[in-house]
Amino acid sequence: MSKVTIRHVAEAAGVAVKTVSRVMNGEPNVTQDLRDRVMKAVEALGYVPSMAARRMGGSRSYLLVALNDRENTINNWRSGRGNDWIDQMLHGAMLTCEAHGYRMLFELVEAGSPDLDRKVVAILSALQPDGIILTPPHSQNLALVEMLTRRKVPFVRMGVQGEGVGFGVFMDDRAAAREATRLLLDLGHRRIGFIAGSPRFEASRQRQEGYGDALTQAGVALDDELIAPGDFTFESGVAAAEALLSRADRPTAILASNDEMALAALHVASRLGIAVPDLSLVSFDDTPGTRLSVPGLTSVRQPISEMAAKAAELLIGVSKTGETDPSDHLLAFRLEIRGSTAPRH
Amino acid sequence: MSKVTIRHVAEAAGVAVKTVSRVMNGEPNVTQDLRDRVMKAVEALGYVPSMAARRMGGSRSYLLVALNDRENTINNWRSGRGNDWIDQMLHGAMLTCEAHGYRMLFELVEAGSPDLDRKVVAILSALQPDGIILTPPHSQNLALVEMLTRRKVPFVRMGVQGEGVGFGVFMDDRAAAREATRLLLDLGHRRIGFIAGSPRFEASRQRQEGYGDALTQAGVALDDELIAPGDFTFESGVAAAEALLSRADRPTAILASNDEMALAALHVASRLGIAVPDLSLVSFDDTPGTRLSVPGLTSVRQPISEMAAKAAELLIGVSKTGETDPSDHLLAFRLEIRGSTAPRH
DNA sequence: CTGAAAGCGCTAACAG
DNA sequence: CTGTTAGCGCTTTCAG
């Protein structure tokens, strides 16, 4: 009772072990009669195949591993700021894995570390996953991507275009920034500040370009003075907002590259006696905090859970069918409009 | 190169496989000389034992499984509210596992479901983990606890006292509520409202009792009219706050059983033109949102990551030493004071 | 269409 | 102290 193996099922059903295996894996060449008998025995005994044994015997591990940035993740946990990325990834990928009899494991590896490669190889050796999900900034790491390719481990790169190297699952950050900026332009804003994200992330560049696109398209001259550097932290947001808002000809709207920095701008504005949405604020990520600030933040929602679900699906597909045709998958963002944006007056 | 096994290491070091196994597991009875030779080969080849094979050969799986409430977790993800519990658990347990060569897997199972047992048995069969971490409300599920005991799977119950059945890792919710209420009393508040949590969670009762304790000790009569039911959701918080604040003799302070409901109270107060902290607010959980509201919420921080770390540690200890002496572990909470509390005037 | 035999990579049990 | 042998529970050959 305490340890039902395939042999017990085979005996109970009066068939060979291999037949049970065939039934469990939905393989062809089993008569309906036998299939039924086996299933009955499986139900009766409550048999569930051991993952470890499956890994040992066969070629699949039924395991996916997601690689996340160690420093960021741990900092967010420690500071009590929460980790929306992790949450949404779990949401999308875990549930998808579950639906296919797979499991997903999280691993945190240091992005800049000189022995990142060794660490990842150790993970590969220990777990032998059927696929790897790379999140930013790992998804941009060419050495890593090359190593995985060489070892023939299927992988998907979240947040970047794969361009034939692994699967790419991403959103159009540039278009999103364009749309966000356009919203502000449509509301009548002309002096629109921009708080940039960390250059470590490809998306930061994309967002800044989209901002520029929209301005140019609207015939508004780009003004370098309206672009402030940031690194996604609250502190950098404070500095950027102060720089932007202390100017005589200060912007009437700001596009921040993430919520954290937008929240910082909100605080700075409040301190300077500038009301929001008189100063309109738009940000990226749509993390839980956007609903709690007063006013709520208009923000670009990234389809993280959808990307993660797609990632898991692609990897599971590969390990089932063996097809290895890297492809790119663009998913849609959505601009969530809340109280932080209003017409210029 | 692509698949280094224990045999390769044994050959390279000129020893028997078992010797390599001994070295890898830090077993005694190996001369320093051999140990060095083996380690050199391990480094050179980049050998890392396969988890699956270890599970098959030995008695350990190097795997811990955390069981979380499915509905709550998914709802929080879906609504974009975030999942602080999950984050903090990952933080504590995952890092602890990592430090010991273990991995932790998350599983979501439906708390009220009639086939919860079957689901958990399936998880046990497939994964054969070395231990289970039960989070609320699963940690209070006696049938589950009984089943795990019967199957001799070590487990820890988070958030409740184990009382000899599995390990218990918890904080003193009653004392925390007492301390929170006392803070309000010390600030001069006498009419203190209470918004209760969902009765599904044992902690809800504890918190209410602590609230009562403090009042009684201070010689303030308990007033049932000041106690409003809630279920941890924002909506229930709104209803409770409205009930409490629309009274003529409304409370000058409110203790809410979680942040979400306190945030709801904040919104209701704002709508009714009641300033916070003129109305003082204290809550439980210290989730990321407490830092973002204006003013920030004074809140009781639960030692979730510490509890999770302790849980993992206990389980890993059992699987290493085989000792099965259930014990209880009380961890300290901390009252984080922010802008939502002020002296009564 | 079904079954028997041979491992997968490791550790437990037992010899030396 | 070190090595040999026999599995663990599956899937993959390869025969019937």
Side-chain angles (χ1 to χ4, degrees):
Chain A
M1 173 110 202
S2 193
K3 187 149 271 183
V4 183
T5 74
I6 197 171
R7 195 155 314 178
H8 301 158
V9 177
E11 271 168 29
V15 297
V17 177
K18 177 67 229 193
T19 302
V20 179
S21 174
R22 284 203 179 89
V23 173
M24 292 308 288
N25 294 297
E27 287 171 28
N29 297 336
V30 185
T31 54
Q32 190 56 43
D33 174 50
L34 274 198
R35 201 176 288 277
D36 290 344
R37 253 164 62 203
V38 169
M39 281 317 290
K40 192 162 299 177
V42 166
E43 304 274 312
L45 299 173
Y47 170 66
V48 178
S50 147
M51 261 189 114
R54 279 183 133 178
R55 170 65 271 265
M56 288 300 290
S59 52
R60 292 201 266 168
S61 64
Y62 294 87
L63 233 191
L64 259 32
V65 167
L67 256 32
N68 285 73
D69 186 34
R70 187 178 190 86
E71 196 184 340
N72 260 309
T73 304
I74 294 182
N75 280 347
N76 285 343
W77 279 335
R78 257 206 247 292
S79 65
R81 255 172 296 165
N83 251 317
D84 192 51
W85 244 88
I86 300 283
D87 278 342
Q88 295 303 324
M89 278 218 43
L90 279 170
H91 181 193
M94 223 169 90
L95 294 184
T96 303
C97 281
E98 201 177 70
H100 294 266
Y102 274 68
R103 315 277 163 166
M104 193 184 57
L105 224 35
F106 257 72
E107 295 284 324
L108 301 178
V109 287
E110 193 86 49
S113 165
D115 61 14
L116 170 73
D117 244 56
R118 203 190 337 278
K119 282 276 167 51
V120 176
V121 170
I123 290 170
L124 258 27
S125 308
L127 268 13
Q128 293 160 277
D130 291 340
I132 296 278
I133 298 177
L134 258 25
T135 65
H138 298 310
S139 40
Q140 303 163 36
N141 185 324
L142 294 181
L144 192 53
V145 152
E146 203 261 313
M147 187 269 274
L148 293 174
T149 307
R150 187 158 21 89
R151 295 193 168 240
K152 299 196 188 8
V153 181
F155 61 95
V156 5
R157 305 163 69 183
M158 279 182 72
V160 300
Q161 283 189 251
E163 285 164 344
V165 187
F167 296 94
V169 174
F170 56 99
M171 66 167 250
D172 190 338
D173 275 282
R174 185 163 179 167
R178 212 149 43 211
E179 187 169 322
T181 309
R182 215 172 274 146
L183 168 71
L184 260 8
L185 288 164
D186 289 347
L187 289 170
H189 296 280
R190 284 298 171 274
R191 289 194 64 72
I192 302 176
F194 181 79
I195 304 181
S198 162
R200 280 177 67 215
F201 295 81
E202 168 63 19
S204 299
R205 186 188 358 263
Q206 300 287 334
R207 292 172 187 180
Q208 182 159 349
E209 281 173 359
Y211 158 80
D213 291 349
L215 254 34
T216 306
Q217 280 168 24
V220 175
L222 271 174
D223 180 352
D224 277 353
E225 304 281 305
L226 288 180
I227 297 179
D231 62 8
F232 291 137
T233 64
F234 191 89
E235 296 70 33
S236 76
V238 167
E242 279 170 349
L244 255 20
L245 297 176
S246 59
R247 306 167 48 84
D249 54 347
R250 67 171 190 239
T252 64
I254 292 179
L255 173 60
S257 292
N258 77 344
D259 294 330
E260 193 85 4
M261 298 193 295
L263 254 9
L266 190 63
H267 276 245
V268 170
S270 144
R271 208 173 60 219
L272 298 178
I274 304 172
V276 173
D278 284 348
L279 168 73
S280 282
L281 243 34
V282 180
S283 65
F284 277 86
D285 292 356
D286 194 45
T287 47
T290 58
R291 296 156 186 71
L292 299 176
S293 65
V294 184
L297 284 181
T298 292
S299 187
V300 174
R301 178 185 180 277
Q302 296 190 68
I304 300 176
S305 64
E306 291 87 340
M307 292 195 292
K310 183 51 132 183
E313 209 173 87
L314 288 167
L315 259 12
I316 292 171
V318 169
S319 102
K320 265 189 179 142
T321 68
E323 68 119 318
T324 320
D325 192 15
S327 53
D328 279 355
H329 301 262
L330 176 69
L331 297 180
F333 59 86
R334 196 172 62 214
L335 187 55
E336 301 281 357
I337 303 202
R338 300 201 178 80
S340 68
T341 41
R344 182 186 170 208
H345 62 247
Chain B
M1 172 113 205
S2 194
K3 187 149 273 184
V4 183
T5 73
I6 196 172
R7 195 155 314 179
H8 300 158
V9 177
E11 270 168 29
V15 298
V17 270
K18 179 68 230 196
T19 302
V20 178
S21 174
R22 285 204 179 89
V23 173
M24 291 308 289
N25 294 298
E27 286 170 30
N29 298 336
V30 185
T31 54
Q32 190 58 43
D33 173 50
L34 274 196
R35 202 176 286 278
D36 290 345
R37 254 164 61 203
V38 168
M39 281 316 290
K40 191 162 299 176
V42 166
E43 305 274 312
L45 298 173
Y47 169 67
V48 178
S50 148
M51 261 190 113
R54 279 183 132 178
R55 169 64 270 264
M56 289 300 289
S59 53
R60 292 202 267 168
S61 64
Y62 294 88
L63 234 191
L64 259 33
V65 167
L67 256 30
N68 284 73
D69 186 34
R70 187 177 191 89
E71 196 184 341
N72 259 310
T73 304
I74 294 183
N75 281 348
N76 285 343
W77 279 335
R78 256 206 248 292
S79 65
R81 255 172 296 164
N83 250 317
D84 192 50
W85 245 89
I86 301 284
D87 278 341
Q88 295 303 323
M89 279 218 45
L90 279 170
H91 179 38
M94 223 170 87
L95 295 183
T96 303
C97 281
E98 200 179 70
H100 294 266
Y102 274 68
R103 315 276 164 168
M104 192 185 58
L105 224 35
F106 257 72
E107 295 284 325
L108 301 178
V109 286
E110 193 86 47
S113 165
D115 60 15
L116 170 72
D117 245 56
R118 204 190 337 279
K119 283 277 167 52
V120 175
V121 170
I123 291 170
L124 258 27
S125 308
L127 269 13
Q128 292 160 276
D130 291 340
I132 295 277
I133 298 177
L134 259 24
T135 65
H138 298 311
S139 41
Q140 304 162 35
N141 185 326
L142 294 181
L144 193 53
V145 152
E146 203 262 313
M147 188 269 274
L148 292 174
T149 307
R150 187 157 23 89
R151 294 192 170 242
K152 299 197 187 10
V153 181
F155 62 94
V156 5
R157 305 163 68 183
M158 279 183 70
V160 299
Q161 282 189 252
E163 288 165 344
V165 186
F167 296 94
V169 174
F170 56 99
M171 66 167 252
D172 191 339
D173 275 282
R174 186 163 179 167
R178 210 149 46 211
E179 188 170 321
T181 308
R182 215 173 273 145
L183 168 71
L184 260 8
L185 288 164
D186 288 348
L187 289 170
H189 297 280
R190 284 297 171 274
R191 290 193 64 71
I192 302 174
F194 180 80
I195 304 181
S198 161
R200 279 177 67 216
F201 295 82
E202 168 63 19
S204 299
R205 186 188 356 264
Q206 301 286 335
R207 291 172 187 180
Q208 183 159 348
E209 280 172 0
Y211 160 79
D213 291 349
L215 254 33
T216 305
Q217 280 168 24
V220 175
L222 271 174
D223 180 352
D224 277 353
E225 305 280 306
L226 287 180
I227 297 179
D231 62 8
F232 290 138
T233 65
F234 191 87
E235 296 70 33
S236 76
V238 168
E242 280 171 349
L244 254 22
L245 296 177
S246 59
R247 306 168 48 83
D249 54 346
R250 66 172 191 238
T252 64
I254 292 179
L255 173 60
S257 293
N258 77 344
D259 294 330
E260 192 85 2
M261 298 192 294
L263 255 8
L266 190 61
H267 276 245
V268 170
S270 145
R271 208 174 59 218
L272 297 178
I274 303 172
V276 172
D278 284 347
L279 169 72
S280 282
L281 243 33
V282 180
S283 65
F284 277 85
D285 293 356
D286 195 46
T287 47
T290 57
R291 296 156 186 73
L292 299 175
S293 66
V294 184
L297 284 181
T298 292
S299 187
V300 174
R301 177 185 180 279
Q302 297 190 67
I304 300 175
S305 64
E306 291 87 341
M307 292 194 293
K310 183 51 130 184
E313 208 174 87
L314 287 167
L315 259 12
I316 292 169
V318 168
S319 103
K320 265 187 179 141
T321 68
E323 67 119 318
T324 321
D325 193 15
S327 53
D328 279 354
H329 300 264
L330 177 69
L331 297 181
F333 59 86
R334 196 172 61 215
L335 188 54
E336 301 282 356
I337 302 201
R338 301 202 177 81
S340 68
T341 39
R344 182 186 170 206
H345 62 245

